[in-house]
Amino acid sequence: KGRNTMKSLFKKNRKQELETVMSCLVVICASCLVIWLTQTMQLCYELGKDDTDDFIWQVLSRSITLVAMAVCSIFIWIMLSNVKRNEVFTKRNANLIVFIGVTVEITGLLQYILGIFTLEGISRESFMIYLLLGVFILFIGCLFKIGIRMKEEQDLTI
């Protein structure tokens, strides 16, 4: 009897821990969106005051990043709702991870293309961070898919 009580307490603590982590991820996603949105609005406000040639490239670069963050946040939100329904190791979540990686990769490529057209004052190396992070996320997505396939094979052998 004491063992069953200990197991249920452990499961309850794990569930609370998981819910706390998921809540933190939601707050982080929302905070990223708010930060980038305020920065883009600030840049748009400064558009009326600034008539330099490179300003439009700065706005475009940050807008691309804002859209990418919005898309990734939506994908993470969907994944978190799947986890709340106890759908963790599913093909849908694996595809969402891959979509996040592709989104980050595309952002890096667009940042690189914009870097070609910008003037000297703008950093051109930021695209490498997006490309490296995108490759890492794609790698995690592939590992996730392999894990799902292994789980399905194990379920079939039992």
Side-chain angles (χ1 to χ4, degrees):
K1 186 177 178 180
R3 228 174 154 181
N4 289 337
T5 307
M6 192 68 132
K7 275 185 175 182
S8 65
L9 183 63
F10 181 71
K11 285 182 181 181
K12 185 177 179 182
N13 287 341
R14 278 190 70 152
K15 186 175 181 180
Q16 287 175 340
E17 186 178 296
L18 181 63
E19 288 177 1
T20 302
V21 169
M22 289 173 42
S23 298
C24 290
L25 287 174
V26 168
V27 168
I28 289 170
C29 289
S31 299
C32 288
L33 285 175
V34 168
I35 289 168
W36 280 103
L37 186 60
T38 55
Q39 285 185 356
T40 301
M41 287 179 11
Q42 179 185 6
L43 280 173
C44 291
Y45 172 74
E46 292 173 4
L47 181 61
K49 300 186 301 182
D50 194 348
D51 61 349
T52 59
D53 293 335
D54 65 342
F55 184 75
I56 191 68
W57 297 111
Q58 290 177 7
V59 171
L60 191 58
S61 173
R62 293 208 180 164
S63 296
I64 289 170
T65 305
L66 174 64
V67 170
M69 289 190 74
V71 169
C72 289
S73 295
I74 290 168
F75 288 153
I76 291 171
W77 187 277
I78 293 169
M79 281 178 43
L80 290 174
S81 67
N82 289 343
V83 170
K84 280 186 177 181
R85 287 180 274 149
N86 291 328
E87 298 173 5
V88 180
F89 296 106
T90 62
K91 289 181 182 179
R92 183 175 181 190
N93 285 345
N95 290 334
L96 287 170
I97 293 171
V98 170
F99 291 150
I100 291 170
V102 168
T103 302
V104 173
E105 282 292 313
I106 290 172
T107 301
L109 292 174
L110 290 175
Q111 294 288 345
Y112 173 73
I113 292 168
L114 283 175
I116 293 172
F117 296 108
T118 59
L119 300 174
E120 291 299 318
I122 301 173
S123 172
R124 298 178 186 186
E125 290 80 26
S126 65
F127 74 92
M128 289 187 276
I129 295 169
Y130 289 105
L131 293 177
L132 184 61
L133 185 60
V135 167
F136 180 72
I137 294 170
L138 286 171
F139 177 71
I140 296 297
C142 289
L143 287 178
F144 207 82
K145 285 184 176 187
I146 290 170
I148 291 168
R149 192 174 325 124
M150 290 172 64
K151 179 182 174 270
E152 288 173 351
E153 289 175 3
Q154 186 181 23
D155 289 346
L156 290 175
T157 57
I158 292 178

